[in-house]
Amino acid sequence: MPKSPAHLSRRKLSDQVVDRVKSWLMAKSMQPGDRLPQEKELLDLLGVSRSTLREALKSLEVQGIIRVSAGRSGGPSVCEVPYETAANLLTNYFYFKKLQADEIYAMRRLLEPEMAATAVAHMRDEDLDRLEELIEACRNPEDSPEGRRSQRLLELEFHNVIARRSPNALLSFNCQFINMILAQQVTIKKVYLIRQDKIDRENDDAHVELLAAFRAGDAAHVREAMVRHMGECSCHLNDLEAVVHQRFGDAVADGPIPDFTR
């Protein structure tokens, strides 16, 4: 493994070791499931103390890059970073950015149609069935704040099902991440407080059209339908925010801490 550069000497040693291990994993083309050398060999390679090595390995484990198993035959092995781990870490960056609907949809309008088009050839029968289930679940929700909140989140899950099938890892990740931010916006800004029949109908129509295009394997139709849908969704969120703020004002900020895991 390469020695740490001099200009990094002021950084915490275990953080430098983390970077060196990452570089080593890439240089060796390590894949999920591959085992790292045992502790003694790692100590010799890195030239650090046992406590520094273990602190670095713990950091790598928290980041989801390795898994450390116990026992005589245990030790560190490479694992694929789950989407949830990466997204949750990235979410921390946006906690205090106060993203607005138009900022979110400026990116969503660009990415979602292309992502959906790339997913067409990779959709499975169970994915199409799931899209149909979600369409049905979003129809006639319970006329209560919780029922409408669930409806909005299921509408976003419709898009996550598609994003998970995109072969383009960047498009897939970014579209799912945007949906995570939108799910938080739904809860924080409480845009589910007011029933909006027009929005419900337009979302249902768009999802039905998209499902038909996916079943037909028509990527061009999927892209066109998603462009229209994203334009409508952008207007919906802005309108909902305005109506909720007009009726409830700053009171929407009160209440229990939102649960984003639901």
Side-chain angles (χ1 to χ4, degrees), residues 9-27:
S9 60
R10 290 189 296 274
R11 292 182 60 210
K12 188 177 178 182
L13 183 55
S14 61
D15 291 339
Q16 296 180 44
V17 172
V18 166
D19 290 343
R20 292 165 63 191
V21 172
K22 288 180 180 178
S23 297
W24 184 80
L25 293 176
M26 293 182 65

Side-chain angles (χ1 to χ4, degrees), residues 98-149:
K98 298 182 179 179
L99 290 174
Q100 301 301 313
D102 56 348
E103 295 177 293
I104 298 170
Y105 270 92
M107 177 170 283
R108 198 179 189 209
R109 285 195 300 269
L110 290 172
L111 299 184
E112 191 86 9
E114 293 307 313
M115 176 280 296
T118 67
V120 171
H122 302 272
M123 296 290 283
R124 303 171 182 173
D125 289 341
E126 56 264 35
D127 300 321
L128 300 175
D129 291 342
R130 177 59 176 156
L131 294 182
E132 188 166 5
E133 289 173 1
L134 288 166
I135 290 172
E136 289 297 327
C138 290
R139 289 172 174 164
N140 302 313
E142 177 185 330
D143 192 12
S144 67
E146 183 55 35
R148 292 189 291 274
R149 175 178 179 271

Side-chain angles (χ1 to χ4, degrees), residues 16-80:
Q16 296 180 44
V17 172
V18 166
D19 290 343
R20 292 165 63 191
V21 172
K22 288 180 180 178
S23 297
W24 184 80
L25 293 176
M26 293 182 65
K28 294 291 186 180
S29 299
M30 300 284 277
Q31 298 297 313
D34 291 346
R35 298 177 65 83
L36 275 69
Q38 292 297 316
E39 184 176 76
K40 185 179 184 306
E41 186 177 350
L42 284 173
L43 289 171
D44 292 339
L45 284 168
L46 294 162
V48 296
S49 68
R50 180 174 282 103
S51 62
T52 297
L53 173 62
R54 290 181 176 177
E55 186 177 353
L57 293 178
K58 184 62 178 177
S59 177
L60 288 164
E61 189 172 25
V62 169
Q63 294 176 42
I65 296 172
I66 67 169
R67 180 183 297 107
V68 180
S69 55
R72 294 183 60 183
S73 60
S77 59
V78 180
C79 57
E80 186 172 0

